[in-house]
Amino acid sequence: MLNNIGLPGLLLIAVVVLVLFGRGKISSLMGEVGKGITAFKKGVSDGSKELEDGTGEVARDVTPEKEKDKV
C-alpha cells in the first residue's frame, strides 16, 4: 500500500499537514526534532568517549526484584 506513494502523493500529504497544523507549529516541531537529534548524538559521543577512556561506571543490574523472579 505505501509502496505506491509517489512524488504527487507526498506533495499532497505535505500540503494537508501544512494546512492542518500551520507553518509555525511545524517549524517549532522540527526545531524540537533537531534538538533531540543533537542531544542523541552528544550522548552517543559522550558514551563512546567514556568507553575509550575507561572512566565509565561499572554496569549494575537495576531490575526490580519482582521482575527478576519472572526470568
Side-chain angles (χ1 to χ4, degrees):
M1 180 175 150
L2 295 177
N3 299 357
N4 298 330
I5 297 178
L7 184 60
L10 291 175
L11 288 175
L12 179 65
I13 292 171
V15 167
V16 169
V17 167
L18 186 62
V19 167
L20 288 177
F21 295 108
R23 193 180 75 184
K25 184 71 173 177
I26 293 175
S27 67
S28 66
L29 178 66
M30 290 298 116
E32 294 297 323
V33 169
K35 288 178 186 176
I37 291 172
T38 304
F40 177 77
K41 286 182 180 179
K42 184 177 183 280
V44 168
S45 66
D46 289 348
S48 62
K49 185 191 291 187
E50 285 181 2
L51 288 174
E52 290 173 1
D53 295 344
T55 59
E57 297 179 13
V58 176
R60 56 190 169 100
D61 189 7
V62 294
T63 309
E65 293 297 324
K66 294 179 185 177
E67 297 295 322
K68 287 182 183 179
D69 296 338
K70 292 181 181 178
V71 177

